[in-house]
Amino acid sequence: MKHTDIKCILSSADMVGTSVVVCGWVRTFRDSAQICFLELSDGTSFKKLQVVIDKNALIPDPECTKLGASVAVKGKVVKAFKGEGNELEAAEITLLGKCPPEYPIQKKRTTLDFLRGIPHLRLRTNTFAAVFRVRSVAAQAIHRYFHEHGYYYINAPLITASDCEGAGEMFRVTTQPWNARYESEEEYFKNDFFGVKAGLSVSGQLEGEVAATALGRIYTFGPSFRAENSNTTRHLAEFWHVEPEVAFAELPDVIEIAEDLLKYLIRTVLEECPDELAFFDSFVEKGLIEKLTHVANSDFAVCTYTEAVAILEKQNADFRFPVHWGSDLQSEHEKYLTEVVFKRPVFVTDYPKEIKSFYMKQNPDGKTVAATDLLVPGIGEIIGGSEREADYGKLTAAMRERHMDMDAYKQYLDLRLFGSVPHGGFGLGFERFVMYCTGIENIRDVTLFPRSVKNIM
Ligand code: 4AD
Ligand code: MG
């Protein structure tokens, strides 16, 4: 259908006086004696287009005025009678699709909770349409950033036979019938589709390292899967993962890249989504724009795990899980550090090796690894990364300590045998980033069809 986007009509002085066709969904209808008004949205902008109908010239079909109905309007663009921008004087209105009163998106019933039950319709609300426009702008910005900085875009496999983090939280991929019976586990998997145990990848990092040790700088941007039983507002079973991996890079380089990327993404969203952010600032998180502007223009903090624990221990009485050196940081500790102590994003570095993955570069102290998590106010961990252990002997020793199957990692170990280089990278949880930019507090509300424990609508 030939038509003009609402976004193009709203603010362009050139459009005034032109005749256009606009297609969209009715968001409000107001009637008076001589004139009535339709507010239309076509998804192209946060702002809606006001359509003015002179009842002396045109009586609209009542179906065209129902909330949620889809229509095509032919008319003339004029300067708005009130306020800034343009509106449309209707000459002809055609019904595209009726919308009966059972339409669940009604003015009064739009809590996020309620809308979670209708994921297929919730994008027609201001909030969700705004979230998904921001999400799209951020995704484009990720590709642009890496492209402009000389990174190659790699697609890591989603079905894998190796568990990257060695954490056993993988979804299994199988074609075996539910009642398949075999004498042993080995026989069961031998008879399965791939002939070995396979699952959905929790991270593209290992393949990313393969590519980085040939191409220099690469990134992946795709889904990762975690079968964690964590029913929290920050965890999904399927999330989108941005994973750059860089050769000839050490931990400080990894930190620099992460900070630069994040600031670039925030600046882009501020520039390209001003209406969406103004809306979130008013209705979702007061002060959001100021927060993002400040973050984009100031340095992130850096502190070691050991320093962080020393700070947290003084506060142990207030925590549900008291901290001591060696314990994993819980969400409450992460939030305390970034919200109360540093009041800005903070990279925590050099964690005890026991609580981090086998592949992380071992520090000379023999106790910690060159890892970093970036914590941000409101969310906690948004990035996890590290320098990788590049030394064959040290890496195999760490794997042996963890009783890992060396054969399964032969290719990964080969990278350390043939021209090994210092390298590192990180993973940014894309949904967590969108939460941070929009102020939305539940990860299920920045995902089209969120998947989590016992939830696959
Ligand atoms: O800290 P994680 O587990 O690190 C890795 O997977 C590394 N292989 C990354 C790398 O170095 N290339 O995950 C990285 C980020 C987390 O900081 C978090 O933002 C996000 O991925 N994340 C999740 N987001 C939503 N739901 C989940 N279940 C997530 N698990 C991790
Ligand atoms: Mg992590």
Side-chain angles (χ1 to χ4, degrees):
M1 277 168 103
K2 283 263 181 273
H3 69 284
T4 306
D5 287 349
I6 287 178
K7 182 183 173 178
C8 301
I9 294 173
L10 284 172
S11 53
S12 157
D14 295 351
M15 295 294 297
V16 173
T18 60
S19 183
V20 296
V21 175
V22 168
C23 297
W25 293 271
V26 175
R27 295 297 289 270
T28 58
F29 174 66
R30 279 182 300 131
D31 200 4
S32 66
Q34 302 292 321
I35 307 184
C36 54
F37 302 96
L38 274 184
E39 231 190 356
L40 285 192
S41 157
D42 68 355
T44 58
S45 68
F46 186 83
K47 293 197 181 94
K48 284 121 209 130
L49 178 69
Q50 169 140 290
V51 177
V52 185
I53 305 162
D54 176 355
K55 285 166 62 174
N56 297 312
L58 174 69
I59 301 288
D61 171 353
E63 291 296 346
C64 289
T65 66
K66 299 275 161 62
L67 177 63
S70 48
V71 297
V73 183
K74 204 171 175 178
K76 195 171 85 181
V77 180
V78 295
K79 277 189 87 71
F81 185 67
K82 269 196 243 161
E84 307 218 320
N86 303 329
E87 55 191 31
L88 189 69
E89 269 177 15
E92 191 184 326
I93 303 180
T94 314
L95 182 69
L96 298 177
K98 282 201 247 192
C99 190
E102 298 83 73
Y103 182 48
I105 311 277
Q106 301 291 333
K107 277 249 136 53
K108 278 186 219 131
R109 301 177 58 206
T110 49
T111 63
L112 294 177
D113 229 9
F114 167 76
L115 291 168
R116 233 167 269 145
I118 43 168
H120 59 304
L121 293 173
R122 65 180 180 168
L123 264 65
R124 298 189 191 187
T125 62
N126 288 336
T127 307
F128 283 95
V131 164
F132 284 90
R133 275 192 295 269
V134 168
R135 190 175 161 129
S136 169
V137 163
Q140 299 285 355
I142 284 164
H143 286 299
R144 206 161 54 235
Y145 177 88
F146 286 123
H147 180 62
E148 286 173 1
H149 287 79
Y151 289 70
Y152 293 105
Y153 176 39
I154 297 296
N155 306 120
L158 300 187
I159 300 177
T160 178
S162 88
D163 173 358
C164 163
E165 306 292 313
E169 56 200 20
M170 267 214 291
F171 285 102
R172 260 174 45 202
V173 172
T174 178
T175 49
Q176 291 277 32
W178 66 272
N179 57 351
R181 278 182 196 283
Y182 294 101
E183 290 304 310
S184 66
E185 202 181 320
E186 201 190 349
E187 198 192 339
Y188 177 96
F189 290 119
K190 215 167 152 190
N191 281 280
D192 206 346
F193 188 89
F194 293 105
V196 289
K197 189 174 178 178
L200 293 177
S201 179
V202 300
S203 160
Q205 179 197 323
L206 302 194
E207 295 84 359
E209 286 185 53
V210 168
T213 50
L215 299 172
R217 285 193 289 278
I218 66 93
Y219 71 105
T220 69
F221 183 12
S224 283
F225 303 89
R226 306 267 167 114
E228 299 163 297
N229 200 348
S230 13
N231 219 337
T232 77
T233 53
R234 313 186 306 149
H235 289 90
L236 289 172
E238 175 182 313
F239 69 98
W240 278 66
H241 208 172
V242 185
E243 296 189 271
E245 190 70 31
V246 182
F248 319 112
E250 295 168 325
L251 186 64
D253 305 303
V254 171
I255 290 176
E256 198 179 305
I257 296 162
E259 180 167 342
D260 195 47
L261 169 69
L262 226 58
K263 286 178 172 172
Y264 175 84
L265 297 181
I266 290 170
R267 277 198 300 273
T268 304
V269 171
L270 280 166
E271 264 165 44
E272 296 188 16
C273 305
D275 294 337
E276 285 77 9
L277 290 194
F279 169 80
F280 292 128
D281 198 314
S282 302
F283 297 103
V284 179
E285 181 182 333
K286 291 265 179 293
L288 175 73
I289 293 177
E290 201 191 315
K291 169 188 97 174
L292 294 176
T293 309
H294 179 71
V295 166
N297 295 309
S298 54
D299 290 339
F300 294 5
V302 182
C303 97
T304 65
Y305 168 90
T306 303
E307 288 161 353
V309 167
I311 295 168
L312 292 167
E313 274 177 329
K314 294 192 193 121
Q315 221 56 42
N316 260 347
D318 298 340
F319 295 136
R320 230 161 66 98
F321 303 97
V323 196
H324 55 87
W325 202 96
S327 56
D328 213 349
L329 300 185
Q330 306 286 329
S331 160
E332 57 176 340
H333 312 130
E334 296 178 341
K335 287 191 171 186
Y336 182 80
L337 285 171
T338 177
E339 290 168 11
V340 182
V341 181
F342 292 98
K343 299 189 175 63
R344 58 191 160 131
V346 53
F347 287 100
V348 178
T349 67
D350 305 292
Y351 285 79
K353 62 179 189 210
E354 286 79 14
I355 58 171
K356 287 291 184 187
S357 299
F358 72 95
Y359 53 70
M360 294 181 174
K361 161 116 178 146
Q362 298 160 36
N363 286 329
D365 64 11
K367 291 191 294 193
T368 61
V369 286
T372 186
D373 279 3
L374 176 65
L375 316 178
V376 298
I379 292 175
E381 178 191 339
I382 193 167
I383 280 178
S386 73
E387 183 177 341
R388 319 306 184 190
E389 183 52 73
D391 181 274
Y392 184 89
K394 287 185 183 167
L395 182 57
T396 47
M399 293 171 74
R400 241 175 269 118
E401 268 174 35
R402 289 171 165 81
H403 308 291
M404 292 173 66
D405 174 7
M406 299 287 180
D407 289 345
Y409 289 87
K410 182 179 175 315
Q411 297 174 349
Y412 190 65
L413 290 168
D414 271 358
L415 304 181
R416 277 75 181 165
L417 278 183
F418 307 124
S420 188
V421 294
H423 64 287
F426 61 86
L428 164 69
F430 185 50
E431 284 80 8
R432 291 195 189 171
F433 175 74
V434 177
M435 290 165 75
Y436 186 62
C437 273
T438 55
I440 296 283
E441 288 181 345
N442 192 325
I443 198 164
R444 294 170 182 79
D445 297 333
V446 298
T447 310
L448 194 54
F449 286 95
R451 274 83 175 87
S452 54
V453 189
K454 302 278 181 267
N455 174 27
I456 183 161
M457 284 180 86

